[in-house]
Amino acid sequence: MSLSCVYSRARIGLESPLVTVEVHLANGLPAFNIVGLPEASVKESKDRVRSAIINCGYEFPAKRITINLAPADLPKEGGRFDLPIAVGILAASDQLPPVDLSQYEFAGELALSGELRAIVGEIPVAMASSKSQRTLIIPIQNTEQASWVKQAKIHGISHLTQLFPHFAGQQILPLVTEPPIAETLVGQVSDMSDVMGQPLAKRALEMAASGGHNLLFIGPPGTGKTMLASRLSGILPPMTEEEALEVAAIQSISHQDITRNSWFTRPFRAPHHTASSAALVGGGSQPQAGEITLAHNGVLFLDELPEFERKVLDVLREPMESGEVTISRALHKQCFPARFQLIAAMNPSPTGFYNDKRSSPEQVLRYLNRLSGPFLDRIDIQIEVARLPRGTWAQSSQKNETSVQIQQRVQACRTIQLQRQGKSNAHISSRELKQYCQLSTDDNEFLELAVEQLGLSTRAHHKILKIARTLADMEKSPEILRKHLTEALSYRAMDRLLRHLTSAISV
């Protein structure tokens, strides 16, 4: 047989479309051509495959070899097609036992000796092959992560020579067994008990974790804003298996290491304020995931918020609402998930303090105006973090609550939300607000009057309702009360600060 067909998978973002590797051996002058929109890394596979086949003891056909990677309009990149090309050549030249190759999918990079090297994006490949009900053969280095995909049939090999005895039935490759996936308790390096004082900030942090709300800390340097933010991931409820697999898939295509010990650990990303728009949302000629996608189902922490370029922050506005980001290019577009929880920290003035008399109200207002109004509108909770009062160090021997204790309350509050509406309060849609955030006639008039007096937008009005719903859930109250609305209205520190500065300048 001079023609063979082998299946493999390409890598396009989080998707792994099917690629059919067609191999034809024809008479004529020896040649080796690869067609089907291969990139440079795929074209270079010719030399790797030739050396691997020869060094494994097989005969490299002295014929005109044509490799077609179909579909022809799908870009192919990386060394993952080395193994399927080698298998196709061996099958076309009758050097492998007769076997139904349509039941298999292959992906792996070959060394010159025939050894297999790891590929990038093994989890999306395993998910796609599982849906197609084919057996996946990949490098043994990728089997641990790929085995996290349930019901996927996977063989791991370390050398090209292992395929012949498997297809001949002499030495069957064992299927990779799926180890039991369970949450591994990793000791918290950063615990909430390390934070001294700041009861209001701690409550805001617990509220943000309970309802999935975005949070902004405003305060002078040294008040513990960064310390508080870094402890949010430790009090968030653990991820479900589905969420953990989504995070693992993102990390597998982004060259990120993930182990079983970190399987249920929520991502925490803290990019520097010099990051570009492409670094945050993703980009490139072949779109790659950005920081907001790497923070999917986790936390994105932006420290020194006004130091980010305004246009960089404004690109976050749409993903904060939709939970995904679409990167468009001339020939194709790619959609990445981006359901992250934003935690930000900033100083109230360019000098760091309110009343140090080193900056005028105009300078402070110019500093704060680096943040656009629509961006601030999307931050649910804005709270001031005050300096520690005198005597706090002396009281540091008092026992503070640990992250585990707070996490138990957060988990209980999140369970109430999931049972009621199937999602956290922060993700309630505008249509669902009337159903899950009902107010009495008096409370509704009170809230509308407050929103009008404060000059808040409709989006801010919805955010206040969602925060009040979370406060009620934290107290296990089925209804939103006046005290919940009052407290929710108090978490608009940035609005108060801007209004105070504007009035001071006008006077």
Side-chain angles (χ1 to χ4, degrees):
M1 182 177 66
S2 61
L3 181 67
S4 66
C5 181
V6 180
Y7 292 118
S8 185
R9 295 277 171 180
R11 180 170 70 92
I12 306 294
L14 277 175
E15 300 175 0
S16 289
L18 184 68
V19 172
T20 304
V21 181
E22 300 171 339
V23 180
H24 181 230
L25 306 183
N27 295 325
L29 291 175
F32 195 163
N33 298 312
I34 299 179
V35 297
L37 206 61
E39 293 190 354
S41 57
V42 182
K43 292 179 180 178
E44 292 171 353
S45 67
K46 294 186 291 187
D47 298 318
R48 293 193 297 268
V49 170
R50 180 187 290 109
S51 298
I53 288 177
I54 294 173
N55 288 324
C56 288
Y58 297 106
E59 178 186 354
F60 190 81
K63 294 189 175 184
R64 188 174 187 85
I65 303 173
T66 303
I67 311 290
N68 180 36
L69 306 178
D73 58 346
L74 183 72
K76 290 92 178 175
E77 52 87 23
R80 62 176 57 219
F81 299 107
D82 291 2
L83 180 59
I85 289 174
V87 171
I89 292 175
L90 293 176
S93 58
D94 296 325
Q95 299 187 68
L96 286 180
V99 66
D100 187 6
L101 291 177
S102 65
Q103 301 301 314
Y104 292 90
E105 292 183 8
F106 301 85
E109 180 182 340
L110 284 172
L112 299 184
S113 61
E115 295 181 357
L116 269 294
R117 293 197 172 111
I119 61 171
V120 176
E122 63 275 8
I123 293 180
V125 171
M127 294 169 68
S129 65
S130 178
K131 290 181 182 178
S132 300
Q133 297 183 342
R134 296 190 185 96
T135 301
L136 178 63
I137 297 182
I138 55 174
I140 198 167
Q141 301 96 312
N142 296 116
T143 53
E144 180 184 358
Q145 287 81 1
S147 67
W148 297 345
V149 180
K150 286 187 174 182
Q151 301 176 345
K153 293 186 291 185
I154 301 169
H155 293 305
I157 62 173
S158 58
H159 205 278
L160 183 61
T161 53
Q162 294 178 261
L163 289 178
F164 186 95
H166 172 72
F167 291 146
Q170 301 169 354
Q171 188 174 356
I172 302 298
L173 293 170
L175 284 172
V176 176
T177 57
E178 178 193 348
I181 298 177
E183 181 181 358
T184 303
L185 296 177
V186 182
Q188 290 287 342
V189 178
S190 302
D191 197 272
M192 191 68 81
S193 60
D194 301 331
V195 182
M196 294 185 300
Q198 305 296 3
L200 295 178
K202 289 180 179 177
R203 177 169 173 78
L205 204 63
E206 180 179 346
M207 191 192 320
S210 299
H213 302 290
N214 299 324
L215 175 62
L216 172 62
F217 286 129
I218 308 169
T223 53
K225 303 185 296 296
T226 303
M227 191 177 190
L228 283 161
S230 64
R231 279 147 179 78
L232 174 63
S233 56
I235 65 174
L236 286 170
M239 290 189 290
T240 62
E241 284 191 20
E242 182 180 357
E243 291 175 333
L245 190 60
E246 290 177 0
V247 173
I250 292 169
Q251 293 180 333
S252 72
I253 68 169
S254 305
H255 305 276
Q256 303 285 323
D257 291 331
I258 181 169
T259 63
R260 185 155 297 278
N261 291 335
S262 61
W263 174 250
F264 282 93
T265 303
R266 290 190 180 271
F268 182 87
R269 306 292 299 185
H272 193 258
H273 64 257
T274 56
S276 64
S277 301
L280 284 183
V281 303
S285 57
Q286 293 294 329
Q288 300 293 323
E291 289 289 340
I292 61 175
T293 298
L294 294 172
H296 180 62
N297 289 330
V299 178
L300 177 69
F301 175 48
L302 302 182
D303 202 2
E304 306 296 345
L305 189 64
E307 301 300 333
F308 284 84
E309 290 188 29
R310 182 165 179 163
K311 64 178 182 180
V312 172
L313 292 179
D314 283 344
V315 300
L316 300 180
R317 285 155 49 179
E318 294 168 1
M320 287 168 69
E321 291 288 323
S322 63
E324 62 182 17
V325 58
T326 301
I327 303 172
S328 298
R329 293 294 178 263
L331 298 178
H332 59 276
K333 66 178 181 179
Q334 189 61 49
C335 185
F336 292 100
R339 181 70 73 185
F340 61 93
Q341 189 169 351
L342 176 67
I343 304 297
M346 60 175 289
N347 297 326
S349 73
T351 59
F353 297 89
Y354 286 109
N355 302 316
D356 57 0
K357 298 181 180 180
R358 293 172 55 198
S359 56
S360 64
E362 291 85 355
Q363 291 173 315
V364 175
L365 190 60
R366 194 180 306 117
Y367 174 76
L368 299 180
N369 279 338
R370 296 180 185 178
L371 309 176
S372 67
F375 174 75
L376 288 173
D377 247 2
R378 287 166 168 81
I379 299 180
D380 309 38
I381 305 170
Q382 306 163 5
I383 187 170
E384 296 184 45
V385 183
R387 301 179 68 178
L388 293 176
R390 190 172 59 181
T392 304
W393 279 94
Q395 300 172 1
S396 60
S397 60
Q398 295 179 355
K399 190 67 175 178
N400 294 326
E401 279 190 311
T402 63
S403 293
V404 175
Q405 292 173 315
I406 300 175
Q407 187 187 45
Q408 291 173 352
R409 294 200 301 268
V410 169
Q411 179 66 53
C413 183
R414 190 68 70 91
T415 301
I416 294 174
Q417 300 166 33
L418 293 177
Q419 290 175 349
R420 182 179 60 236
Q421 70 240 5
K423 62 182 78 172
S424 61
N425 288 334
H427 301 144
I428 295 177
S429 65
S430 301
R431 179 182 299 179
E432 296 169 332
L433 277 175
K434 292 183 179 180
Q435 181 179 356
Y436 301 119
C437 302
Q438 293 182 350
L439 300 177
S440 65
T441 304
D442 291 342
D443 288 344
N444 196 41
E445 291 181 359
F446 165 77
L447 179 59
E448 288 184 354
L449 181 61
V451 169
E452 183 180 351
Q453 292 292 327
L454 295 173
L456 302 179
S457 66
T458 304
R459 180 183 284 112
H461 177 242
H462 291 171
K463 297 285 188 188
I464 292 169
L465 272 176
K466 295 175 185 179
I467 296 169
R469 179 70 267 175
T470 300
L471 290 169
D473 291 339
M474 291 172 68
E475 296 180 358
K476 296 181 172 59
S477 171
E479 297 179 354
I480 300 176
L481 306 178
R482 178 70 64 88
K483 63 178 182 180
H484 301 141
L485 291 173
T486 306
E487 184 176 353
L489 284 165
S490 68
Y491 296 120
R492 307 297 301 182
M494 195 66 175
D495 297 325
R496 292 196 303 271
L497 182 58
L498 291 172
R499 193 165 54 253
H500 171 71
L501 289 171
T502 306
S503 61
I505 293 173
S506 61
V507 171

